[in-house]
Amino acid sequence: MGTTGSSLVELRDLTVAFDGVQVLHGIDLDVGRGEALGLVGESGCGKSVTWLAALGLLPAKAGVAGSVKLEGRELIGGQRAVLESVRGKRIAMIFQDPSSSLNPVLRIGRQIAEALAAHRGLCGEAARAEAIRLMDMVGIPDARRRFDSYPHEFSGGQCQRLMIAMALAGQPDLLIADEPTTALDATIQAQILDLLIELRAETGMATVFISHDLGAVSQVCERICVMYAGRIVEEGSVEQLFSEPRHPYTRGLFDAIPRIDGGRERLIPIRGTVPNPKHLPKGCSFSPRCMRAVEDCRNERPQLVTLEDERKLACLRPVPAAGASEIRSDIPEGLLQ
């Protein structure tokens, strides 16, 4: 998936540095039209920075290099007018903290109407009617009456729904959801995930779902990229990664998932911490924490290569396929739905 001819967005050798310290190390990634792609990994691995860099939303001091193409049009180094024509209209992004993304002193209807005016040229009664329709689409009860409410009059889950409505205002081809359920309780999380699935089915837009929650990713996405220390270390379908995680880091993420039907066994944590970007190991960035690492792993940096089953893997000593399948047979069926 994500071949050159069918890709909506193509990232090639994307790098990011802050104050001379490189934090993103050559990301290659394709997003196909209508595809649902998940980005997973620990905090600080570069998931959000990848897309903030792609949309030109990083501060000026950030050094961004490489290529980001939207249907063949280069965005890196593009003019401000080009980027503004893409943000919101072609590629929209929602963030994990909706309360900080909504203006507290403006009525919510006006904020959605502003997005409609900017991206679709709607104004007056047409903008009001479309804003109410979007509020209703994302599940805001009594949308017509609440059009004139302020953000503080909505719950956290409703604010996230409103952010999704604003993102949909431009009828984007790609929606980037940056940990949209992190600040919500479990019941509301499930509702937001269902909403994202329904909206993608209705609109046909592609979705990039950024999260550290493997269960949530399995519900929303078809393909997953696992990131660690600014690199993609494994990429494959949901079925591949959940049944046979091959990279030791991916395997470690699954081993740390508590089992609902399990006993009182201890979880198996990934020892150590994510390395400081200023002092990355010479070889594989995961080698100091990896139980399978050998001397070559500490001296040689593995490249992301495509395996026979079409998954991509960056590891000199991956988990054996058969062993991974046997060990992960305990994954609850619900995570694969």
Side-chain angles (χ1 to χ4, degrees):
M1 197 172 295
T3 58
T4 302
S6 63
S7 293
L8 175 67
V9 178
E10 300 174 3
L11 278 60
R12 292 291 180 269
D13 196 27
L14 181 64
T15 63
V16 174
F18 294 106
D19 297 323
V21 178
Q22 197 161 331
V23 297
L24 215 59
H25 304 268
I27 300 297
D28 290 337
L29 186 61
D30 292 347
V31 181
R33 294 177 180 83
E35 180 184 15
L37 171 70
L39 282 184
V40 302
E42 293 171 277
S43 296
C45 70
K47 305 184 298 294
S48 301
V49 168
T50 296
W51 290 100
L52 291 173
L55 291 173
L57 294 175
L58 291 177
K61 68 176 182 178
V64 180
S67 173
V68 175
K69 291 184 178 179
L70 172 64
E71 292 184 330
R73 182 169 62 166
E74 182 63 59
L75 301 183
I76 297 296
Q79 297 292 324
R80 181 175 177 178
V82 172
L83 292 174
E84 289 184 348
S85 70
V86 169
R87 298 175 191 148
K89 187 170 181 61
R90 301 297 308 279
I91 303 176
M93 193 166 184
I94 56 175
F95 301 94
Q96 58 183 297
D97 183 9
S99 61
S100 65
S101 302
L102 294 169
N103 190 324
V105 300
L106 295 181
R107 299 178 191 274
I108 200 65
R110 178 179 169 185
Q111 295 188 53
I112 299 176
E114 282 182 353
L116 289 167
H119 301 307
R120 289 164 59 185
L122 297 181
C123 58
E125 191 56 40
R128 178 185 175 87
E130 179 64 5
I132 292 172
R133 187 188 74 82
L134 289 171
M135 291 173 66
D136 188 59
M137 178 187 288
V138 299
I140 299 296
D142 199 5
R144 186 172 297 278
R145 181 179 64 83
R146 306 200 71 185
F147 179 87
D148 290 320
S149 298
Y150 289 94
H152 73 269
E153 298 179 80
F154 295 86
S155 68
Q158 289 176 333
C159 283
Q160 192 60 278
R161 290 173 182 269
L162 291 168
M163 284 303 304
I164 295 173
M166 291 177 69
L168 294 175
Q171 298 177 322
D173 299 309
L174 171 61
L175 176 66
I176 301 166
D178 187 1
E179 302 200 33
T181 61
T182 298
L184 308 176
D185 62 55
T187 303
I188 304 303
Q189 282 185 29
Q191 294 175 5
I192 295 297
L193 293 178
D194 288 341
L195 174 61
L196 290 173
I197 294 168
E198 290 170 11
L199 291 174
R200 177 173 165 247
E202 289 178 16
T203 64
M205 67 181 177
T207 303
V208 172
F209 188 78
I210 300 172
S211 181
H212 57 265
D213 186 338
L214 288 162
V217 170
S218 73
Q219 293 179 52
V220 176
C221 302
E222 305 159 333
R223 185 164 59 100
I224 299 176
C225 292
V226 180
M227 293 188 67
Y228 185 80
R231 290 186 174 88
I232 294 174
V233 296
E234 187 167 10
E235 177 184 334
S237 68
V238 168
E239 291 76 12
Q240 286 175 325
L241 267 65
F242 272 69
S243 62
E244 285 190 347
R246 299 294 307 280
H247 196 283
Y249 176 62
T250 311
R251 169 66 191 284
L253 293 177
F254 282 107
D255 283 341
I257 297 176
R259 289 184 54 183
I260 295 176
D261 59 346
R264 295 175 62 88
E265 298 90 355
R266 282 182 175 274
L267 296 178
I268 306 173
I270 301 175
R271 63 180 186 177
T273 58
V274 178
N276 187 323
K278 292 182 179 180
H279 308 291
L280 288 179
K282 177 182 177 183
C284 173
S285 297
F286 187 61
S287 60
R289 308 174 69 188
C290 182
M291 300 295 288
R292 298 181 56 81
V294 295
E295 194 61 29
D296 285 348
C297 300
R298 298 181 181 91
N299 295 311
E300 183 180 342
R301 182 167 295 155
Q303 300 300 310
L304 191 67
V305 297
T306 303
L307 305 185
E308 291 180 359
D309 61 359
E310 295 189 355
R311 88 169 75 203
K312 294 181 180 179
L313 185 66
C315 184
L316 300 179
R317 298 196 71 235
V319 177
S325 179
E326 292 168 5
I327 292 167
R328 292 314 300 168
S329 63
D330 64 344
I331 295 177
E333 270 185 29
L335 286 182
L336 291 171
Q337 292 177 354

